[in-house]
Structure formats: C-alpha cells, structure tokens
Amino acid sequence: MRIPLLLPTTLAMLLLASTGCSGGGGNGSGDPSNDGGTPGTAAIVGLTAITVEPADQLLLIEAGQTSATATYRAIGTFEDGTKVDITPRVRFTVDNNFIGGFSGNTFTTYKNQGGVTTVSALAGPVRGSTQVAVKIRGGVKDPASTSVPDNAADLFSGPASDTRKPDLVYPNDGVLLPPNMRGVEIHFLPGTSNTLFELAFQNSLTDLKVYLRCTQPLNGGCIYRPDDTTWLWLSQTNRGGEPVTVSLRGTDDSGSQVGASASLALSFSQDDLTGGLYYWTTSNGSAIMRFDFTSASGTTGEKFIGPEAAGGKCLGCHALSRDGKKLVAETSGQNDGRLVLMDVGTKSLLAPFDQGSASPDKSIFESWNPDGSQYVGVYGDSGATDFNLMLFNGETGKKVQSLTGTGTSSSPANHPDWSMDGQKIAFVSVGVKGTNQRFGKGAIQLVSRTDTGWSAPVTLAPAVDGRNRYYPAISPDNAFVLFNESTCPSGNYVRDCNADSDPSARLFAVKAEASATPIELARANAPGKRDPGTNLTNSFPKWAPFLYQRTREPGTRLQWFTFSSSRRFGLRNPLPGGDENPNGTLLWLAAVDPDKVALGQDPSYPALVLPIQDISTSNHIAQWTTEVVPVIR
C-alpha cells in the first residue's frame, strides 16, 4: 500500500488558476438516511440510479503549495421517473484516497499528487460515479543547484538560438519506469554558452518545471537527478497514466538567447516494481549483492555473500529459490562444478562445501522449481558423465533424476530455466561443444511435465549456422521465453559468439511452442545516443517474479526483466572489461507487454540502468526472488 506523501514546501509560489470547481445542491452536513442509518449505508426506497454532478472535472493544484476543492451533489432517479437531489442522503467516496478525500460532499485534494480517480455516491446497493482529474503544476529550483535566480522563469523569454540548443542524452525516448524506481538520472549536453536550464515535464495532468545548473558535469555534458520530492510528484501523478513529455531549454544568466532541445517521452507503470534482486559484481571481492525493491528507504544494493562462503574461492553464477530462502552458487568457474548450497535466512550451508561425497553433486547453471524443493542443473565440463538436465534435492544438493534425451556428450544440455508454474524447463541444446560457460550454435528447447514424468524436448528456436542462441528465461505467465542470440563475425564459434559476454548479443522472445517465430526486442536492444553502434552485449535476461498492471485500465499487463549490457549509461563511458569483451557491463531493466508477443509484435520498451547498483564496477547475472529474506543475526 502506498502512503500519502507529506512533503515540505519547496516550490516558489505561483498563482492558482481557477478551474470552476463548484457544485450546487447538498449541504454536506451528513444528514441521516431515511431509516436513521449512516448516510450511504441504507437503501432509499424506489431509487434506481444516481447521477453525480459535476461530471468529469479537472482540478488544478500547485505542487506542495495549494490544494483544490470541489463540491458534489447526487441526483437520484426513482422508479416513477422522477429526479430528486438526494445529496444529504448518500455517502461520497473516492477510489484513490492518495489524491484526496471527502468531508460530506466536498472533495479536497492533497497538495503533492495529481492523477485520475473515480468519485462515487452510494445509497444502499445503488452507486453513481464520475471521474475527477487532478493536475499538478509548479516551478522549483533544483536543490542541488546553487545561485539559481528567483526570476529564473522570466529568463527564458529571450529570442531562440539554434547554437544554444541542449540535447537530452539519457534515458531513451519512450522508456517506461516503475514509480518506485528512485535514483533515476537525466543526462544532457548543455549547448553553447548556457549556464541556466529549464527542464519541463508536461502532459494533461502535469506541468512541472525545474530550474537548474550543470551541477554534475561529465564528458562534455551534465547529469541531473530529480530530488525525492520532485520525483514523487512526477511518478505518483502519472502512475499508470499517459506519457510525460520531457524537454529542456538553456540560456545564460542574462536570458539573452534561448535554445530548446528535442523532447523525449517517459511513462510510469501503474504498479511498483516488487521482489528481491541478487546479482554478481566484480566489486567487494567478487560478491553476490542484493536489493529489496519493497524497501521504503533502500537506495543501493548490499553485499550478501562473497568468497568467504566458499573457503576463499570465487563465487559467480548463482540461483535463488522463488521465495528467496535458498541459494545455490558455483565456485571457481569452468571445469569445476562445486556448489555452495545455502539457507539465506541464516547464511548457513545446507550441505558441506568441498567435503567429498557429502557435498552437493556438481553442476554449472541452475534454476529452482516453484516450492524450492528441487533445482535443475547441468554439467558438461571436465569429468562429466551425465550431459542431460539433472534434478537435484534442494536440501542436500544430491542428484535425484536425469531427464534422459535432453543432452549427449557431443550436444550437452545447458542454461536451464524452470518455469514459475513448475510445468516447463527451457534450456539450450549445445551445437558446438566447449564448456558450459563457452560454447557455440545453441538451440532453445523446452521440456514439459506430463502425467508420467517429463516430455521429450521440443525446439522453440533452432540452431542456426553462424549464430548462437542461449540463456532462455521463461516469462512469469509461462507463455513465452526470452533468449539471447549472438552472431559470429567470421562464421566460426570464437569468443565473439561463445555465449560469454558476446558483443553482438541481442534479446529475442519466442512463444513456448514448437517452431514459433522469434521476435526481436528491438526497443530494449536499441542503443542510446552516445553508443557508437549496436553491439551492446545485451545478455542474460531474467524476469522479475510477478505480473503487474501496466496502466490504470484494468486488464492491462506488464512484466519486467533485467539483463546485462555494455552499452553506455548516458554520458558515462563503458567500464573496463576482461579477456572476452573489452567493455564491462551494468544491469539494465526493461518492461514487456506480454500481450504483444501473441500478436508477433515487439513487446519491449527502451531499457534504463538500474540505479541501485555500484556503477563503477561490472555487474552481471541478476536473479529475482519474490522477497528478500532477512538474515538472522
């Protein structure tokens, strides 16, 4: 549940424009109903319908400064066709009480959030409704900027100048954001001789302008991060609503000339992003980090475990049970296969590490079933004897079943992903054998649970010469699969297309059906303005564990996924990489409209960087849980 924001008054005062928020009729005194009950709880004899007046209002508030009021009345229609003002005998309610509330028949908004909601009048089983829209308006000085003049708005009335045009660099046009994604940045090039900027956010419910300096210069541009107050005005007002147009103007302190950027659009989903994220980082001694998206105060990931959990050995690829209670992680990389199997709440090992036959059986790359009782793994490296998908006991790490027919010594199974309903496992059938970490010519296959066990594999995306398909991830609604595809420049399966930090890796979706047509996630794959090309290492997608509502309209659906990418974070240069790729990677987040997959359309939105990570180091392999389990100290 969201909590009403009680924000400090930080905006310069603007005059409140009248919107004609008036209504006649009821006295708002809360007169009792005809049988002595609370208004709106008792039926009115003969009443068949209620009309709420005035209909479909637009109210205006000054952000953080002034609220707005509107007086409503209820007109009842009775069985004989007569219409009577019944305002004193109904109860008025509002669907979204974070926008405002009723006292009698008077609706009063809060000062800090706009939006659209339904106003209802109730009398027994009879309800009448209308819509009210609340627009938020204001101008604010960026708290991080110094010496912004009080008359900043007046300085943007000078003549237009093309040489002064600033340029919005990040995020990409059309991006969709979770409302609770604090820490989002806006990057821009300032234009010639500009020292003062006006950043505008506008649509039918929003007219906010931020006046700022270039407080964080970088690589010839500027970075602006909305303060918490401004971010909440924007995100809560536009939660599940229409896109917000973002534009930037620049001038000097005398207002001599004004340059205006091209605009970009951003939107906010109806639902917050929830769940827990665990990811591997090269910082903190190659640690596994985690972040709780339900936290009201958290802004950065925290270290969960590092090499100390494996006797000083490197911890890398990992998998979390859906409920966040168990973790399995590989140690020491290729040709090893030893695992740490851990209870998350106590950070204790469920099975001893590196102690002979008592240790978990070898695996590289794992995925858990829905209840955390088993995980599926693979091992095709040095000393392997079983190249199939293997099921392991989630308490001991011992192999309990091999899914025959899913792999051979020359074509081992790899990269398993167990669906959230427990009925499917997607995986890679390796075409050119190497190790589980590095291989070529992969195909995406799927097995399904049957009455007697598991089906034979079906191919979703077949192997293609000169390409590698890998790392499938089954969607939260179990209907389709994301995967990576990279291209071999020379046609040979060398490091540029061996499923390990491939520069040409791109994201695709395919229905969980045999021989379906893959769909490129073109918008999620798209480069930013500062990227030199399209080779961005868009790798290793993983789903947030829930289905979300995309807009205010009931029935609209949304899914979120993370992936690793070497693309530039706006003005920032790529991080240094390793022997596979000269560029390091950060974690990126993108939204998907699952209903578009069924239509064969690109379901994705442009990606944004996850602001909760340390952006000074490479981060990889994000894994999601339904919750972050607290550690018992």
Side-chain angles (χ1 to χ4, degrees):
M1 177 179 294
R2 292 181 291 139
I3 300 172
L5 305 173
L6 301 177
L7 302 178
T9 300
T10 59
L11 296 184
M13 288 292 292
L14 295 176
L15 294 177
L16 176 64
S18 171
T19 56
C21 306
S22 60
N27 57 21
S29 61
D31 290 343
S33 57
N34 59 351
D35 65 353
T38 302
T41 61
I44 299 175
V45 176
L47 181 68
T48 60
I50 300 173
T51 300
V52 179
E53 297 178 349
D56 299 331
Q57 290 202 93
L58 175 64
L59 308 179
L60 179 65
I61 62 174
E62 295 294 340
Q65 299 287 343
T66 58
S67 59
T69 61
T71 301
Y72 284 88
R73 63 176 185 164
I75 306 301
T77 300
F78 289 80
E79 292 174 347
D80 62 0
T82 60
K83 296 182 183 297
V84 178
D85 188 334
I86 57 172
T87 301
R89 301 175 66 187
V90 303
R91 178 167 57 92
F92 287 94
T93 66
V94 61
D95 281 0
N96 185 352
N97 57 8
F98 300 111
I99 293 178
F102 271 94
S103 175
N105 64 324
T106 299
F107 174 68
T108 303
T109 70
Y110 297 119
K111 301 175 182 178
N112 48 57
Q113 181 179 333
V116 177
T117 190
T118 299
V119 170
S120 298
L122 301 93
V126 184
R127 174 191 296 264
S129 299
T130 188
Q131 296 289 305
V132 61
V134 180
K135 181 173 183 175
I136 189 168
R137 183 181 69 179
V140 61
K141 297 179 184 179
D142 171 31
S145 298
T146 59
S147 304
V148 173
D150 291 339
N151 67 334
D154 299 333
L155 298 176
F156 288 87
S157 57
S161 168
D162 286 342
T163 62
R164 287 188 179 271
K165 284 185 178 180
D167 186 17
L168 291 166
V169 171
Y170 172 87
N172 279 9
D173 183 30
V175 69
L176 182 66
L177 305 168
N180 62 328
M181 184 61 71
R182 299 185 300 273
V184 172
E185 296 178 346
I186 295 174
H187 298 195
F188 61 93
L189 300 175
T192 303
S193 301
N194 291 327
T195 58
L196 183 65
F197 303 92
E198 179 190 76
L199 185 63
F201 302 89
Q202 295 174 310
N203 63 16
S204 64
L205 296 180
T206 311
D207 185 8
L208 291 173
K209 295 181 175 67
V210 180
Y211 297 95
L212 64 146
R213 303 285 193 184
C214 184
T215 58
Q216 189 177 346
L218 181 67
N219 293 328
C222 309
I223 296 175
Y224 163 70
R225 176 177 171 176
D227 64 283
D228 287 347
T229 299
T230 303
W231 177 257
L232 289 169
W233 286 338
L234 289 169
S235 61
Q236 300 307 311
T237 296
N238 295 290
R239 179 185 286 268
E242 65 183 277
V244 178
T245 298
V246 183
S247 57
L248 182 69
R249 296 198 293 169
T251 188
D252 55 28
D253 279 36
S254 66
S256 60
Q257 292 179 315
V258 179
S261 73
S263 63
L264 62 85
L266 58 84
S267 303
F268 296 92
S269 60
Q270 174 67 22
D271 290 340
D272 286 342
L273 178 63
T274 52
L277 184 75
Y278 289 70
Y279 63 95
W280 180 70
T281 179
T282 57
S283 64
N284 294 296
S286 300
I288 293 175
M289 309 289 287
R290 69 178 188 175
F291 183 78
D292 184 358
F293 281 97
T294 64
S295 170
S297 58
T299 57
T300 58
E302 64 173 2
K303 180 179 177 179
F304 177 61
I305 58 170
E308 73 281 353
K313 295 178 173 62
C314 173
L315 280 178
C317 299
H318 58 283
L320 276 294
S321 60
R322 307 292 186 192
D323 59 9
K325 294 181 179 180
K326 298 176 185 176
L327 174 143
V328 59
E330 293 88 63
T331 70
S332 305
Q334 300 178 85
N335 294 309
D336 193 294
R338 287 174 294 176
L339 299 176
V340 167
L341 182 59
M342 177 177 287
D343 178 279
V344 171
T346 61
K347 283 193 177 180
S348 60
L349 297 182
L350 292 170
F353 171 72
D354 202 14
Q355 293 185 19
S357 61
S359 301
D361 289 331
K362 286 186 175 183
S363 175
I364 293 181
F365 295 113
E366 296 80 35
S367 179
W368 291 82
N369 69 353
D371 65 9
S373 62
Q374 291 184 333
Y375 58 87
V376 57
V378 294
Y379 186 72
D381 288 7
S382 177
T385 58
D386 189 342
F387 300 91
N388 292 292
L389 295 173
M390 298 177 287
L391 306 186
F392 298 84
N393 184 295
E395 294 291 334
T396 66
K398 307 307 292 182
K399 184 173 75 171
V400 296
Q401 187 178 356
S402 177
L403 303 189
T404 57
T406 56
T408 65
S409 60
S410 60
S411 182
N414 208 352
H415 289 176
D417 188 64
W418 208 324
S419 65
M420 294 186 189
D421 66 358
Q423 300 303 302
K424 304 179 181 71
I425 299 175
F427 67 101
V428 172
S429 177
V430 171
V432 176
K433 185 179 178 182
T435 63
N436 286 111
Q437 183 175 331
R438 296 169 180 167
F439 59 88
K441 201 176 180 180
I444 307 301
Q445 296 193 330
L446 185 80
V447 293
S448 300
R449 194 182 292 276
T450 69
D451 292 339
T452 58
W454 291 89
S455 71
V458 298
T459 298
L460 308 184
V464 177
D465 288 336
R467 299 183 190 178
N468 200 2
R469 289 171 166 172
Y470 59 97
Y471 213 79
I474 303 175
S475 63
D477 64 357
N478 311 296
F480 63 98
V481 176
L482 292 189
F483 67 92
N484 285 136
E485 179 181 293
S486 60
T487 303
C488 304
S490 63
N492 298 318
Y493 293 97
V494 293
R495 68 180 188 176
D496 282 347
C497 63
N498 66 359
D500 185 21
S501 301
D502 297 356
S504 63
R506 298 174 74 78
L507 299 158
F508 286 79
V510 64
K511 295 178 188 177
E513 302 171 0
S515 303
T517 301
I519 305 164
E520 183 179 353
L521 273 60
R523 283 182 283 271
N525 285 323
K529 283 189 174 181
R530 301 283 279 184
D531 286 308
T534 58
N535 281 355
L536 306 176
T537 322
N538 297 327
S539 300
F540 308 125
K542 276 295 181 183
W543 292 102
F546 300 108
L547 289 168
Y548 300 91
Q549 186 170 322
R550 181 169 51 87
T551 72
R552 298 187 186 106
E553 297 300 320
T556 57
R557 300 195 303 158
L558 187 69
Q559 298 169 3
W560 294 99
F561 73 96
T562 47
F563 63 99
S564 303
S565 181
S566 63
R567 65 182 67 191
R568 296 189 179 189
F569 175 16
L571 295 166
R572 293 184 171 89
N573 292 326
L575 297 166
D579 60 345
E580 284 283 321
N581 190 323
N583 295 328
T585 62
L586 293 175
L587 298 176
W588 292 70
L589 177 75
V592 161
D593 179 349
D595 296 318
K596 289 189 176 181
V597 177
L599 301 175
Q601 301 172 359
D602 176 10
S604 67
Y605 289 81
L608 66 148
V609 77
L610 273 177
I612 55 91
Q613 64 191 305
D614 180 357
I615 60 172
S616 67
T617 182
S618 275
N619 303 311
H620 313 264
I621 311 293
Q623 303 282 347
W624 287 84
T625 66
T626 56
E627 62 178 320
V628 170
V629 175
V631 175
I632 301 173
R633 301 296 182 183

